[in-house]
Amino acid sequence: MPWLEALVYVLIAVVVAVVVTAVTAFIVRRISRRKEWAVRLIRRARRPFRIFLLVVALWVALQATSVDPAWREVLSHTFLVLSIAAGAWLVCALAIFLEDLGLARYRTDVPDNRHARRLRTQVLIIRRITVVATVLVGLGAILLTFPGVSAAGASLLASAGLISIVAGLAAQSTLANVFAGVQLAFSDAIRIDDVVIVQTEWGRIEEITLTYVVVHLWDDRRMVLPSTYFTTTPFQNWTRKNSQLMGSVEFDLDWRVKPDEMRDELHRVMAKTELWDDRVAILQVTDAVAGYVRIRILVTAVDAPTLFDLRCYVREQMVSWVQQVSPQTVPHTRVELSETPLESDAPRSASVPSKTPPDALFSGDASAELRGSQFTGPLEVQRPRAGDVAAGAATAEPHTAAEPHIAAGSGDAGAAPHDEAR
């Protein structure tokens, strides 16, 4: 029976694959007790190796059977496609294993990890390029196993120039990001775990791909930016050369502050913390205007997160010192009260005698005369004549004998009344 014979060969192939896999695993596990790389190899390549070995064993067993040629051709082509796919998976796993070996030699959890982060960034980009290239080659190999695709290969190659132009125009932005990602990986502009300021946000470079960059912000948000952003837009890289940074803490205090005592307190505070890297701890008076004295403290730390914690620590300790030891240093607002004398209380200057009659226009002093001469010129005041005064007095209504009155022209309010009997 052909099918029974095929089943026997399949069982034999499975047994052989399991035995080879077990022996290989036993040897690698024995090596892993002494070598770290064997542990990484088991973790990365165990599954793809088993699947690839099983597919190859079944394909060989199928070739040894005497089944129907039509079925054999179909099954043989199927196992060929599966073996190419499993082989591509195994190649990707081995490439990643080799890259892990390179990364294991350089640690990033040390103070000066700039070179290690640069290598890690480049290796991760190479890993992605390797995986993409392996997958494309595997897909191409699978497609070439089909007769129709292989026959059309010549025409595809002939039109490759036109297709490349059309594809380039259609995927211009995507290709720009791909080239920008490769440029970022090998130009050392940014690296994995770099501290950057992008779009006024503070964060760390978490991932660099061929098309985009992921920034892990300080509040656990993720900002995803295209790779072209870092090649066309200015940004701040706080760990470009090294991870050590300097920060400032500023205070606006009263003029009664004593900088020497505050400086001694700063040195005492810095000696108690492990956040300080023993490089810089300076207190200076940088300004003294507008009723306040500006005190600036400069401190250094090994990296940006440590520097932030150190600045907060220094600020808290100095505020406590001001409140407990030097309360007069707390900023004060001073107000000076002064009473402005009224205008009526101001001494008056003696008026200059004037020749202008007192009832003339703009009369009273020399300045009034000058003003009158500028606007109206000298004016004459018409006064009543003596005859007109007498006539007016004759026509006046007579008073009764009992009605007292004040004589005309009398300036004494207490003058005695008299009778006008006519």
Side-chain angles (χ1 to χ4, degrees), residues 41 54 78 109 125 146 156 158 181 206 222 239 245 248 258 273 278 282 285 371 386 420:
L41 180 62
L54 180 61
T78 302
D109 56 348
I125 294 296
F146 294 92
L156 290 176
E206 185 178 51
R222 264 68 175 181
T239 54
L245 293 174
S248 63
K258 297 179 180 180
T273 179
D278 298 333
I282 300 175
V285 178
R371 184 176 181 84
E420 289 186 7

Short mmCIF file of all heavy atoms in Angstrom, two decimals, residues 41 54 78 109 125 146 156 158 181 206 222 239 245 248 258 273 278 282 285 371 386 420:
data_model
loop_
_atom_site.label_atom_id
_atom_site.label_comp_id
_atom_site.label_asym_id
_atom_site.label_seq_id
_atom_site.Cartn_x
_atom_site.Cartn_y
_atom_site.Cartn_z
N LEU A 41 21.08 31.33 22.73
CA LEU A 41 20.81 30.54 21.54
C LEU A 41 19.57 29.68 21.70
O LEU A 41 18.74 29.57 20.79
CB LEU A 41 22.03 29.67 21.20
CG LEU A 41 21.90 28.77 19.97
CD1 LEU A 41 21.68 29.62 18.72
CD2 LEU A 41 23.14 27.88 19.83
N LEU A 54 11.89 19.43 11.30
CA LEU A 54 10.74 18.56 11.05
C LEU A 54 10.26 18.67 9.60
O LEU A 54 9.96 17.65 8.96
CB LEU A 54 9.60 18.92 12.00
CG LEU A 54 8.31 18.11 11.88
CD1 LEU A 54 8.58 16.63 12.15
CD2 LEU A 54 7.25 18.63 12.83
N THR A 78 4.66 21.91 -1.73
CA THR A 78 4.22 22.46 -0.43
C THR A 78 5.34 22.42 0.60
O THR A 78 5.59 23.42 1.31
CB THR A 78 3.00 21.67 0.08
OG1 THR A 78 1.96 21.74 -0.89
CG2 THR A 78 2.51 22.23 1.40
N ASP A 109 23.69 50.12 31.83
CA ASP A 109 23.36 50.50 33.20
C ASP A 109 24.58 51.00 33.97
O ASP A 109 24.69 50.79 35.18
CB ASP A 109 22.71 49.33 33.93
CG ASP A 109 23.59 48.08 33.92
OD1 ASP A 109 24.59 48.06 33.16
OD2 ASP A 109 23.29 47.13 34.68
N ILE A 125 18.95 48.94 14.54
CA ILE A 125 18.62 49.28 13.15
C ILE A 125 19.08 48.17 12.21
O ILE A 125 18.35 47.77 11.27
CB ILE A 125 19.25 50.62 12.77
CG1 ILE A 125 18.61 51.75 13.59
CG2 ILE A 125 19.09 50.89 11.29
CD1 ILE A 125 17.15 51.94 13.32
N PHE A 146 6.90 29.03 -8.12
CA PHE A 146 5.71 28.87 -8.95
C PHE A 146 6.09 29.10 -10.41
O PHE A 146 6.75 30.12 -10.73
CB PHE A 146 4.61 29.85 -8.52
CG PHE A 146 4.08 29.58 -7.16
CD1 PHE A 146 4.63 30.22 -6.04
CD2 PHE A 146 3.04 28.69 -6.96
CE1 PHE A 146 4.13 29.98 -4.77
CE2 PHE A 146 2.53 28.46 -5.69
CZ PHE A 146 3.09 29.09 -4.59
N LEU A 156 9.14 41.29 -15.85
CA LEU A 156 9.22 42.14 -14.66
C LEU A 156 10.56 42.86 -14.59
O LEU A 156 10.64 44.05 -14.24
CB LEU A 156 9.01 41.30 -13.40
CG LEU A 156 7.59 40.77 -13.17
CD1 LEU A 156 7.56 39.88 -11.94
CD2 LEU A 156 6.61 41.93 -13.02
N ALA A 158 12.38 43.64 -17.13
CA ALA A 158 12.43 44.64 -18.19
C ALA A 158 11.72 45.92 -17.80
O ALA A 158 12.13 47.02 -18.19
CB ALA A 158 11.80 44.06 -19.46
N GLY A 181 15.87 57.16 9.05
CA GLY A 181 16.14 56.23 10.14
C GLY A 181 17.52 55.64 10.09
O GLY A 181 18.21 55.52 11.11
N GLU A 206 13.04 55.92 23.29
CA GLU A 206 12.72 54.55 23.67
C GLU A 206 12.93 53.57 22.52
O GLU A 206 13.35 52.43 22.75
CB GLU A 206 11.27 54.49 24.14
CG GLU A 206 10.85 53.13 24.67
CD GLU A 206 9.43 53.13 25.18
OE1 GLU A 206 8.54 53.57 24.43
OE2 GLU A 206 9.20 52.69 26.32
N ARG A 222 3.83 58.43 25.34
CA ARG A 222 4.72 58.12 24.23
C ARG A 222 4.44 59.08 23.08
O ARG A 222 3.28 59.20 22.65
CB ARG A 222 4.52 56.68 23.74
CG ARG A 222 5.49 55.67 24.33
CD ARG A 222 5.27 55.45 25.78
NE ARG A 222 6.14 54.39 26.31
CZ ARG A 222 6.11 53.99 27.57
NH1 ARG A 222 5.26 54.56 28.44
NH2 ARG A 222 6.93 53.05 28.00
N THR A 239 22.14 64.31 26.35
CA THR A 239 23.16 63.28 26.59
C THR A 239 23.94 63.01 25.30
O THR A 239 24.30 61.89 25.02
CB THR A 239 22.50 61.99 27.10
OG1 THR A 239 21.47 61.59 26.18
CG2 THR A 239 21.89 62.19 28.47
N LEU A 245 25.01 66.30 33.77
CA LEU A 245 24.33 67.56 33.51
C LEU A 245 24.47 68.49 34.70
O LEU A 245 24.75 68.05 35.83
CB LEU A 245 22.85 67.32 33.22
CG LEU A 245 22.51 66.58 31.92
CD1 LEU A 245 21.02 66.30 31.86
CD2 LEU A 245 22.94 67.39 30.72
N SER A 248 20.23 74.44 37.87
CA SER A 248 20.23 75.61 38.74
C SER A 248 18.98 75.62 39.61
O SER A 248 17.92 75.12 39.21
CB SER A 248 20.29 76.90 37.92
OG SER A 248 19.16 77.02 37.10
N LYS A 258 22.17 86.45 54.26
CA LYS A 258 23.62 86.33 54.46
C LYS A 258 24.13 85.21 53.54
O LYS A 258 24.00 84.03 53.85
CB LYS A 258 23.93 86.01 55.91
CG LYS A 258 23.48 87.13 56.86
CD LYS A 258 23.78 86.78 58.31
CE LYS A 258 23.33 87.90 59.24
NZ LYS A 258 23.60 87.58 60.66
N THR A 273 23.78 63.86 50.62
CA THR A 273 23.01 63.17 49.59
C THR A 273 23.92 62.43 48.62
O THR A 273 25.05 62.87 48.35
CB THR A 273 22.13 64.18 48.81
OG1 THR A 273 21.41 63.49 47.81
CG2 THR A 273 22.98 65.26 48.17
N ASP A 278 29.66 65.14 43.16
CA ASP A 278 30.88 65.75 43.72
C ASP A 278 31.62 66.62 42.70
O ASP A 278 32.84 66.81 42.83
CB ASP A 278 31.84 64.68 44.25
CG ASP A 278 31.22 63.87 45.38
OD1 ASP A 278 30.34 64.41 46.07
OD2 ASP A 278 31.61 62.70 45.56
N ILE A 282 27.74 75.38 43.73
CA ILE A 282 28.10 76.79 43.81
C ILE A 282 26.86 77.60 44.18
O ILE A 282 25.76 77.34 43.67
CB ILE A 282 28.67 77.30 42.46
CG1 ILE A 282 29.93 76.52 42.09
CG2 ILE A 282 28.98 78.79 42.52
CD1 ILE A 282 30.49 76.89 40.74
N VAL A 285 25.29 85.27 44.22
CA VAL A 285 24.30 86.33 44.15
C VAL A 285 24.35 86.89 42.72
O VAL A 285 25.31 87.57 42.35
CB VAL A 285 24.57 87.43 45.19
CG1 VAL A 285 23.53 88.54 45.06
CG2 VAL A 285 24.55 86.86 46.59
N ARG A 371 -1.74 138.43 30.52
CA ARG A 371 -2.71 137.61 29.79
C ARG A 371 -3.74 138.46 29.09
O ARG A 371 -4.13 138.21 27.94
CB ARG A 371 -3.38 136.64 30.77
CG ARG A 371 -4.34 135.66 30.10
CD ARG A 371 -4.88 134.68 31.12
NE ARG A 371 -5.78 133.74 30.48
CZ ARG A 371 -5.41 132.62 29.86
NH1 ARG A 371 -4.13 132.33 29.77
NH2 ARG A 371 -6.31 131.82 29.31
N ALA A 386 -21.29 161.27 38.43
CA ALA A 386 -21.90 161.75 39.69
C ALA A 386 -23.34 162.16 39.48
O ALA A 386 -24.21 161.93 40.33
CB ALA A 386 -21.09 162.92 40.26
N GLU A 420 -35.80 159.16 57.52
CA GLU A 420 -35.81 160.01 56.35
C GLU A 420 -37.23 160.58 56.21
O GLU A 420 -38.11 159.92 55.68
CB GLU A 420 -35.42 159.28 55.10
CG GLU A 420 -33.96 158.91 55.05
CD GLU A 420 -33.61 158.31 53.73
OE1 GLU A 420 -34.47 158.33 52.82
OE2 GLU A 420 -32.48 157.82 53.57
#
